[in-house]
Amino acid sequence: MKELQYLNKYFIKYKYHFLLGICITIIAQIFFSYTPKLISAAFKIIENYPENGMNSQQVMQLLIQNILLAIGTSLVAGFLTFLMRQTLIVMSRHVEFDLKNEVFRHYEVLDQGFYKRNRTGDLMSRISEDVAKVRMYVGPAVMYTINTVIRFGVVIIYMYHVSPKLTLYTLLPLPILSYVIFRLSVLINKRSTAFQQFLSKVSSFSQEVFSGVRVIKAYALEQKNQEEMANLAAESKAKSLHLAGVQSLFGPLMITLIGVSNLAVIYFGGMMYIEGDPHIKNIGVIAEFILYVNMLTWPVATIGWVSSLVQEAEASQKRINEFLKTEPEIKNNAKYQGTIEGRIEFKNVSYTYEDTQIEALKGVSFVIEKGQTLAILGKTGAGKSTILTLLTRLHDIEKGSILIDNQPIDTIDLVQLRDAIGIVPQDAFLFSDTISNNIRFGKENATMEEIETAAKQAAVHDNIIQFNQQYETVLGERGITLSGGQKQRVSIARAIIKDPKILLLDDCLSAVDTETEEKIINHLSSISKNKTTLIVSHRVSTAKNADQIILLDEGKIIQQGTHFQLVNQEGYYKALYEKQLSEKEVE
């Protein structure tokens, strides 16, 4: 139960639901447990009525009274049980809601390195299947445990009050029951943990297949993936059956032990009745004890189910806690909360990617004044995108310093920093929503007029209005409905509508033709006024109007200056310019 202690804060938060549920359960069990006494009284009336001088009509009236009382107590107990479920099960739904939100919020603050180390399917499994298992502990498991404990307490008090000796005989099988539950619980915990871990593996594989279905079809790998999925499903089934095999032992064992208790009541109660025990004055007492024992049948039978729920929840909560205890590498120090104007300075910045140990930047230094545009060019893998990643603090630098408005970047409030930045990533990501909502993602309260204006500036408006639903067209997963160029332009519109102080464009025109690129660049020149803009590109045509241009090679700046300066000196930029100019002439 160590891992489940994390949930105690929720029991404290919903203590009124919890305590009210306990009170209702106590009252319900008192009513439930009173019924056997009425049955015992009915047996006593039938057995002793000739001695009491009652006629058959009087006996019938007393029996009807007892029957009506028994029905009444059962109805009250049933209604109170309904109220118990309404408090404790509803509480578990509140806890499920809170826990899912807590996990989701924690996912959002974790750094990019965390998502590189963990697969999406595993993350989804922990926030769905694992949280659902935990809810079963907070709700049904806790409810039935409370119900069982209180029923045992109330019934044993009633039984002891009637006959302490017969109570002892009846409860003799319970120590054996406790030992069996303990041994089986250990097995269930081990097998449940193994099953939950493997379930994440299946989820991860399925998620990757669904996301990459186009590649799978293109390479005709359907059969191979079907075979791999069949193997995973077979192993998952084996682990599930392995777990179910242990869980299935509980029911028969519980029923067997209850049956032994019933036999003990009949045998020892009968012997005590024959011997004239003062506590067993009539057969009704034995009937009362049999009813008490059978009242314990369902709670005892649920012990196994509850135990398996607890063990599964323990395994699931352990997996959830592993993520909740993960600290983000990017800390929000939030010392400086002034308005961000947009001046950027890199001072001898170096950065190495932890997972690959590739040194992406080596002593990079440059300054961009507020409202200026910097273009970054270089070969693939030169470190261009890394500069933008460091500006948004998706990673922290190792050496040197990055200043925003002369303030160290790690002292600026992280939310405020990112809110001041509009970024168009190299791999345009769109949500499975309408085009208008994808653009509105940059500005939540944007009007339709603002959305259309941003789309026109990104040269995608003409494409959108050709769709049947136009801006209300719902995109497929990751924007699969659109072409690569259209996705990039919608992403540009999303950044434009945000109207940020700093605009980062990460090779976002690579999938558009030169004519469309020219339109977008012309719009960007007016949009980027009073904005600090960084453009990563492979094309000189995209960079030539920038205030500054830097060329990277293997993480180092090899050339720096304006287009006019660089095109008039020998080097990489001039060679690239001449090459692309000749290609354009050929076209």
Side-chain angles (χ1 to χ4, degrees):
M1 298 287 286
K2 181 181 177 183
E3 298 292 342
L4 293 173
Q5 289 175 11
Y6 183 84
L7 300 171
N8 289 346
K9 64 179 182 180
Y10 292 118
F11 285 114
I12 294 170
K13 180 179 179 180
Y14 296 106
K15 56 183 178 290
Y16 296 115
H17 285 80
F18 188 59
L19 294 174
L20 180 62
I22 292 174
C23 292
I24 292 171
T25 306
I26 292 171
I27 299 169
Q29 293 311 316
I30 290 172
F31 275 93
F32 262 128
S33 303
Y34 191 69
T35 304
K37 284 197 168 297
L38 295 172
I39 302 299
S40 177
F43 270 95
K44 188 176 180 180
I45 291 168
I46 295 170
E47 189 177 355
N48 297 329
Y49 89 90
E51 300 173 7
N52 295 333
M54 292 187 294
N55 56 41
S56 58
Q57 188 176 359
Q58 290 173 320
V59 172
M60 185 62 68
Q61 287 176 348
L62 288 173
L63 287 175
I64 290 172
Q65 288 178 10
N66 275 24
I67 289 169
L68 291 174
L69 279 172
I71 292 170
T73 54
S74 297
L75 288 173
V76 172
F79 177 70
L80 290 171
T81 302
F82 165 75
L83 292 181
M84 173 189 72
R85 295 185 65 86
Q86 285 296 300
T87 52
L88 295 177
I89 299 299
V90 167
M91 178 192 75
S92 74
R93 290 297 183 183
H94 285 303
V95 173
E96 180 185 28
F97 173 81
D98 290 347
L99 186 58
K100 278 190 175 180
N101 280 302
E102 183 180 357
V103 173
F104 186 78
R105 282 194 301 269
H106 195 68
Y107 279 174
E108 286 191 310
V109 302
L110 289 171
D111 56 275
Q112 194 151 320
F114 169 84
Y115 289 97
K116 287 182 178 180
R117 294 189 299 270
N118 295 281
R119 301 172 74 179
T120 304
D122 190 29
L123 303 181
M124 294 297 295
S125 177
R126 300 199 193 206
I127 202 172
S128 54
E129 284 92 347
D130 285 333
V131 172
K133 295 283 186 184
V134 171
R135 187 201 72 80
M136 290 298 289
Y137 157 73
V138 176
V142 168
M143 183 184 73
Y144 283 115
T145 299
I146 293 170
N147 190 50
T148 299
V149 170
I150 292 173
R151 181 172 289 191
F152 260 92
V154 172
V155 168
I156 289 172
I157 289 170
Y158 276 130
M159 290 167 69
Y160 187 83
H161 184 261
V162 174
S163 173
K165 188 176 179 181
L166 189 54
T167 301
L168 179 63
Y169 288 137
T170 305
L171 300 179
L172 277 176
L174 287 183
I176 302 171
L177 175 65
S178 301
Y179 178 74
V180 170
I181 289 170
F182 170 74
R183 298 303 302 174
L184 288 178
S185 295
V186 172
L187 280 174
I188 287 173
N189 187 28
K190 289 180 181 177
R191 296 186 184 185
S192 179
T193 303
F195 176 66
Q196 286 298 108
Q197 289 173 344
F198 195 80
L199 199 61
S200 290
K201 189 176 180 180
V202 175
S203 298
S204 296
F205 177 79
S206 302
Q207 187 271 332
E208 285 186 349
V209 169
F210 299 150
S211 298
V213 68
R214 287 192 297 176
V215 177
I216 291 167
K217 287 182 176 293
Y219 283 83
L221 294 172
E222 293 94 336
Q223 185 62 36
K224 179 180 177 295
N225 279 278
Q226 285 174 17
E227 290 172 0
E228 192 169 345
M229 185 64 196
N231 291 333
L232 287 172
E235 192 171 347
S236 176
K237 182 179 76 171
K239 290 184 181 295
S240 179
L241 291 174
H242 202 217
L243 174 62
V246 180
Q247 292 175 333
S248 63
L249 291 173
F250 269 109
L253 283 170
M254 301 306 110
I255 300 301
T256 300
L257 290 169
I258 291 296
V260 171
S261 293
N262 273 324
L263 291 174
V265 169
I266 295 169
Y267 176 76
F268 291 108
M271 293 297 293
M272 292 166 69
Y273 177 73
I274 293 169
E275 293 170 1
D277 189 290
H279 296 102
I280 314 296
K281 294 180 179 178
N282 57 74
I283 299 297
V285 174
I286 298 175
E288 181 180 349
F289 262 78
I290 290 174
L291 288 172
Y292 282 138
V293 170
N294 282 282
M295 283 181 66
L296 298 178
T297 302
W298 169 244
V300 171
T302 60
I303 289 174
W305 180 60
V306 167
S307 180
S308 68
L309 288 182
V310 172
Q311 296 300 331
E312 288 174 359
E314 169 83 5
S316 292
Q317 188 62 44
K318 183 179 180 180
R319 285 161 45 78
I320 293 170
N321 289 347
E322 286 173 0
F323 278 176
L324 291 177
K325 290 174 183 176
T326 302
E327 291 292 330
E329 294 176 7
I330 308 300
K331 304 290 184 182
N332 189 5
N333 298 316
K335 295 177 182 176
Y336 175 77
Q337 295 185 337
T339 303
I340 293 175
E341 298 296 330
R343 183 183 185 274
I344 299 170
E345 182 176 0
F346 272 52
K347 286 186 176 180
N348 199 31
V349 172
S350 296
Y351 179 75
T352 302
Y353 283 103
E354 185 181 352
D355 51 350
T356 59
Q357 292 302 305
I358 294 175
E359 192 174 6
L361 295 178
K362 304 170 186 176
V364 172
S365 298
F366 60 82
V367 177
I368 319 171
E369 297 298 335
K370 172 190 171 184
Q372 286 189 344
T373 298
L374 171 71
I376 307 170
L377 277 73
K379 297 176 183 177
T380 302
K384 304 184 296 298
S385 298
T386 303
I387 290 175
L388 306 191
T389 301
L390 295 177
L391 271 174
T392 53
R393 279 200 73 199
L394 294 178
H395 299 290
D396 275 340
I397 58 175
E398 299 165 351
K399 296 178 184 178
S401 60
I402 300 175
L403 305 178
I404 306 290
D405 298 335
N406 299 313
Q407 295 290 329
I409 193 169
D410 58 353
T411 63
I412 299 173
D413 179 71
L414 195 57
V415 176
Q416 188 179 5
L417 172 69
R418 291 173 179 170
D419 192 51
I421 295 174
I423 183 167
V424 183
Q426 189 172 9
D427 181 19
F429 183 93
L430 300 180
F431 297 93
S432 183
D433 202 341
T434 62
I435 295 174
S436 60
N437 283 341
N438 268 284
I439 297 174
R440 193 179 278 117
F441 188 79
K443 184 181 178 182
E444 196 172 333
N445 59 349
T447 63
M448 202 62 216
E449 185 180 352
E450 290 175 315
I451 291 170
E452 289 184 10
T453 301
K456 288 174 182 177
Q457 290 171 334
V460 74
H461 172 76
D462 292 341
N463 296 115
I464 294 172
I465 60 174
Q466 290 176 9
F467 298 134
N468 290 334
Q469 299 296 320
Q470 297 187 355
Y471 281 88
E472 296 309 306
T473 302
V474 177
L475 304 180
E477 188 176 2
R478 294 175 176 266
I480 197 171
T481 311
L482 304 179
S483 68
Q486 289 170 342
K487 285 195 287 186
Q488 284 189 337
R489 284 176 281 160
V490 170
S491 293
I492 293 170
R494 184 163 62 189
I496 289 171
I497 204 170
K498 187 178 181 181
D499 192 25
K501 293 288 184 181
I502 300 171
L503 183 61
L504 308 179
L505 307 175
D506 188 2
D507 203 14
C508 60
L509 302 175
S510 59
V512 300
D513 57 75
T514 52
E515 185 181 344
T516 306
E517 178 191 22
E518 195 71 33
K519 289 180 184 177
I520 296 171
I521 290 171
N522 290 335
H523 287 304
L524 285 176
S525 60
S526 60
I527 293 164
S528 60
K529 285 179 181 178
N530 302 318
K531 290 183 178 63
T532 305
T533 307
L534 281 80
I535 302 175
V536 169
S537 181
H538 287 90
R539 296 176 182 173
V540 172
S541 57
T542 307
K544 65 183 181 181
N545 295 323
D547 297 298
Q548 286 187 69
I549 301 170
I550 63 173
L551 282 92
L552 292 176
D553 187 31
E554 295 183 355
K556 295 180 180 179
I557 296 178
I558 56 173
Q559 280 187 291
Q560 188 169 358
T562 64
H563 172 73
F564 180 78
Q565 291 170 337
L566 294 174
V567 83
N568 286 297
Q569 61 179 252
E570 296 299 322
Y572 179 83
Y573 186 85
K574 183 179 180 180
L576 183 65
Y577 173 71
E578 291 174 349
K579 179 185 176 184
Q580 292 183 1
L581 187 64
S582 63
E583 287 175 353
K584 188 174 181 181
E585 288 174 354
V586 170
E587 288 177 5

